[in-house]
Short mmCIF file of all heavy atoms in Angstrom, two decimals:
data_model
loop_
_atom_site.label_atom_id
_atom_site.label_comp_id
_atom_site.label_asym_id
_atom_site.label_seq_id
_atom_site.Cartn_x
_atom_site.Cartn_y
_atom_site.Cartn_z
N SER A 301 11.10 5.70 17.37
CA SER A 301 12.06 6.75 17.11
C SER A 301 11.39 7.87 16.37
O SER A 301 10.44 7.66 15.63
CB SER A 301 13.22 6.20 16.27
OG SER A 301 14.07 7.23 15.86
N THR A 302 11.87 9.07 16.52
CA THR A 302 11.30 10.22 15.83
C THR A 302 12.38 10.93 15.04
O THR A 302 12.52 12.14 15.09
CB THR A 302 10.69 11.20 16.84
OG1 THR A 302 11.71 11.59 17.79
CG2 THR A 302 9.53 10.59 17.58
N GLY A 303 13.17 10.17 14.30
CA GLY A 303 14.28 10.74 13.56
C GLY A 303 13.87 11.90 12.69
O GLY A 303 12.76 11.98 12.18
N ALA A 304 14.80 12.84 12.47
CA ALA A 304 14.49 14.03 11.69
C ALA A 304 14.40 13.71 10.23
O ALA A 304 15.08 12.86 9.70
CB ALA A 304 15.59 15.08 11.93
N GLY A 305 13.56 14.44 9.49
CA GLY A 305 13.40 14.24 8.06
C GLY A 305 14.51 14.91 7.28
O GLY A 305 15.27 15.73 7.79
N ALA A 306 14.60 14.57 5.99
CA ALA A 306 15.62 15.16 5.15
C ALA A 306 14.99 15.64 3.87
O ALA A 306 13.93 15.21 3.49
CB ALA A 306 16.72 14.13 4.86
N SER A 307 15.63 16.55 3.19
CA SER A 307 15.09 17.10 1.95
C SER A 307 15.39 16.19 0.79
O SER A 307 16.17 15.25 0.88
CB SER A 307 15.70 18.49 1.70
OG SER A 307 17.10 18.38 1.57
N ALA A 308 14.79 16.51 -0.37
CA ALA A 308 14.98 15.67 -1.54
C ALA A 308 16.35 15.87 -2.13
O ALA A 308 17.04 16.84 -1.89
CB ALA A 308 13.91 16.01 -2.57
N GLY A 309 16.75 14.94 -2.98
CA GLY A 309 17.97 15.12 -3.73
C GLY A 309 19.04 14.09 -3.47
O GLY A 309 20.22 14.33 -3.70
N GLU A 310 18.69 12.89 -2.98
CA GLU A 310 19.69 11.87 -2.69
C GLU A 310 20.17 11.20 -3.95
O GLU A 310 19.47 11.12 -4.93
CB GLU A 310 19.07 10.82 -1.77
CG GLU A 310 19.97 9.63 -1.57
CD GLU A 310 19.16 8.39 -1.37
OE1 GLU A 310 17.95 8.51 -1.28
OE2 GLU A 310 19.76 7.32 -1.31
N ALA A 311 21.37 10.70 -3.89
CA ALA A 311 21.89 9.88 -4.98
C ALA A 311 22.51 8.65 -4.39
O ALA A 311 22.55 8.49 -3.19
CB ALA A 311 22.94 10.66 -5.76
N ALA A 312 23.01 7.75 -5.24
CA ALA A 312 23.67 6.57 -4.73
C ALA A 312 24.52 5.96 -5.79
O ALA A 312 24.38 6.26 -6.96
CB ALA A 312 22.64 5.58 -4.23
N SER A 313 25.41 5.07 -5.39
CA SER A 313 26.23 4.33 -6.34
C SER A 313 26.00 2.86 -6.11
O SER A 313 25.73 2.43 -5.01
CB SER A 313 27.72 4.67 -6.15
OG SER A 313 28.16 4.25 -4.89
N THR A 314 26.12 2.08 -7.15
CA THR A 314 25.85 0.66 -7.06
C THR A 314 27.03 -0.11 -7.61
O THR A 314 27.46 0.13 -8.73
CB THR A 314 24.59 0.30 -7.87
OG1 THR A 314 23.52 1.10 -7.40
CG2 THR A 314 24.24 -1.16 -7.72
N ALA A 315 27.53 -1.05 -6.84
CA ALA A 315 28.65 -1.87 -7.28
C ALA A 315 28.14 -3.03 -8.11
O ALA A 315 27.32 -3.79 -7.66
CB ALA A 315 29.41 -2.40 -6.07
N GLY A 316 28.63 -3.13 -9.34
CA GLY A 316 28.24 -4.23 -10.20
C GLY A 316 26.79 -4.20 -10.62
O GLY A 316 26.21 -5.23 -10.90
N ALA A 317 26.18 -3.03 -10.68
CA ALA A 317 24.77 -2.94 -11.03
C ALA A 317 24.52 -1.71 -11.88
O ALA A 317 25.27 -0.75 -11.84
CB ALA A 317 23.91 -2.87 -9.77
N GLU A 318 23.47 -1.75 -12.64
CA GLU A 318 23.08 -0.62 -13.46
C GLU A 318 22.25 0.32 -12.59
O GLU A 318 21.27 -0.08 -11.98
CB GLU A 318 22.26 -1.11 -14.65
CG GLU A 318 21.82 0.00 -15.57
CD GLU A 318 21.03 -0.57 -16.73
OE1 GLU A 318 19.88 -0.96 -16.52
OE2 GLU A 318 21.58 -0.61 -17.82
N VAL A 319 22.64 1.59 -12.56
CA VAL A 319 21.97 2.56 -11.70
C VAL A 319 21.17 3.50 -12.56
O VAL A 319 21.71 4.17 -13.43
CB VAL A 319 23.00 3.36 -10.88
CG1 VAL A 319 22.29 4.30 -9.94
CG2 VAL A 319 23.90 2.41 -10.11
N VAL A 320 19.87 3.56 -12.33
CA VAL A 320 18.99 4.35 -13.18
C VAL A 320 18.15 5.30 -12.35
O VAL A 320 17.05 4.95 -11.93
CB VAL A 320 18.06 3.44 -14.03
CG1 VAL A 320 17.28 4.27 -15.04
CG2 VAL A 320 18.86 2.39 -14.74
N PRO A 321 18.63 6.51 -12.06
CA PRO A 321 17.76 7.48 -11.40
C PRO A 321 16.67 7.92 -12.36
O PRO A 321 16.93 8.14 -13.54
CB PRO A 321 18.69 8.65 -11.07
CG PRO A 321 20.08 8.08 -11.15
CD PRO A 321 19.99 7.03 -12.22
N VAL A 322 15.47 8.03 -11.89
CA VAL A 322 14.38 8.52 -12.72
C VAL A 322 13.64 9.63 -12.00
O VAL A 322 12.43 9.69 -11.99
CB VAL A 322 13.41 7.39 -13.13
CG1 VAL A 322 14.01 6.53 -14.18
CG2 VAL A 322 13.01 6.58 -11.93
N ALA A 323 14.37 10.54 -11.41
CA ALA A 323 13.76 11.69 -10.78
C ALA A 323 13.11 12.55 -11.85
O ALA A 323 13.49 12.53 -13.01
CB ALA A 323 14.82 12.49 -10.04
N MET A 324 12.11 13.33 -11.43
CA MET A 324 11.40 14.24 -12.33
C MET A 324 10.72 13.50 -13.47
O MET A 324 10.72 13.92 -14.60
CB MET A 324 12.37 15.28 -12.93
CG MET A 324 13.10 16.09 -11.89
SD MET A 324 11.99 17.04 -10.84
CE MET A 324 13.16 17.94 -9.86
N ARG A 325 10.12 12.37 -13.13
CA ARG A 325 9.45 11.59 -14.17
C ARG A 325 8.01 11.35 -13.79
O ARG A 325 7.73 10.95 -12.68
CB ARG A 325 10.17 10.25 -14.36
CG ARG A 325 9.50 9.39 -15.41
CD ARG A 325 10.32 8.16 -15.69
NE ARG A 325 9.73 7.41 -16.77
CZ ARG A 325 10.30 6.37 -17.35
NH1 ARG A 325 11.47 5.99 -16.95
NH2 ARG A 325 9.70 5.73 -18.32
N ALA A 326 7.09 11.59 -14.71
CA ALA A 326 5.67 11.39 -14.42
C ALA A 326 5.14 10.25 -15.26
O ALA A 326 5.65 9.95 -16.33
CB ALA A 326 4.88 12.65 -14.71
N THR A 327 4.10 9.59 -14.78
CA THR A 327 3.55 8.43 -15.49
C THR A 327 2.42 8.82 -16.43
O THR A 327 1.94 8.00 -17.17
CB THR A 327 3.02 7.41 -14.49
OG1 THR A 327 2.07 8.03 -13.64
CG2 THR A 327 4.15 6.86 -13.64
N SER A 328 1.95 10.03 -16.39
CA SER A 328 0.93 10.49 -17.32
C SER A 328 0.97 12.00 -17.34
O SER A 328 1.49 12.65 -16.45
CB SER A 328 -0.46 10.02 -16.89
OG SER A 328 -0.86 10.70 -15.71
N ALA A 329 0.38 12.58 -18.37
CA ALA A 329 0.35 14.03 -18.47
C ALA A 329 -0.41 14.64 -17.31
O ALA A 329 -0.04 15.68 -16.78
CB ALA A 329 -0.29 14.45 -19.80
N THR A 330 -1.49 13.99 -16.90
CA THR A 330 -2.28 14.50 -15.79
C THR A 330 -1.49 14.48 -14.49
O THR A 330 -1.46 15.45 -13.75
CB THR A 330 -3.56 13.67 -15.61
OG1 THR A 330 -4.31 13.72 -16.81
CG2 THR A 330 -4.40 14.21 -14.47
N ALA A 331 -0.83 13.35 -14.21
CA ALA A 331 -0.04 13.25 -12.99
C ALA A 331 1.11 14.25 -13.02
O ALA A 331 1.45 14.87 -12.01
CB ALA A 331 0.50 11.84 -12.82
N GLN A 332 1.71 14.44 -14.21
CA GLN A 332 2.83 15.35 -14.33
C GLN A 332 2.38 16.77 -14.05
O GLN A 332 3.03 17.53 -13.31
CB GLN A 332 3.40 15.23 -15.74
CG GLN A 332 4.64 16.08 -16.00
CD GLN A 332 5.17 15.82 -17.38
OE1 GLN A 332 5.06 14.72 -17.91
NE2 GLN A 332 5.75 16.83 -17.99
N ALA A 333 1.25 17.17 -14.63
CA ALA A 333 0.75 18.51 -14.41
C ALA A 333 0.34 18.72 -12.97
O ALA A 333 0.54 19.79 -12.38
CB ALA A 333 -0.43 18.79 -15.34
N SER A 334 -0.25 17.67 -12.38
CA SER A 334 -0.64 17.76 -10.97
C SER A 334 0.57 17.95 -10.09
O SER A 334 0.53 18.69 -9.11
CB SER A 334 -1.38 16.50 -10.54
OG SER A 334 -2.58 16.36 -11.27
#
Side-chain angles (χ1 to χ4, degrees):
S301 172
T302 57
S307 61
E310 172 211 355
S313 64
T314 304
E318 181 180 74
V319 183
V320 187
V322 286
M324 303 299 184
R325 179 173 185 172
T327 56
S328 70
T330 301
Q332 183 176 328
S334 297

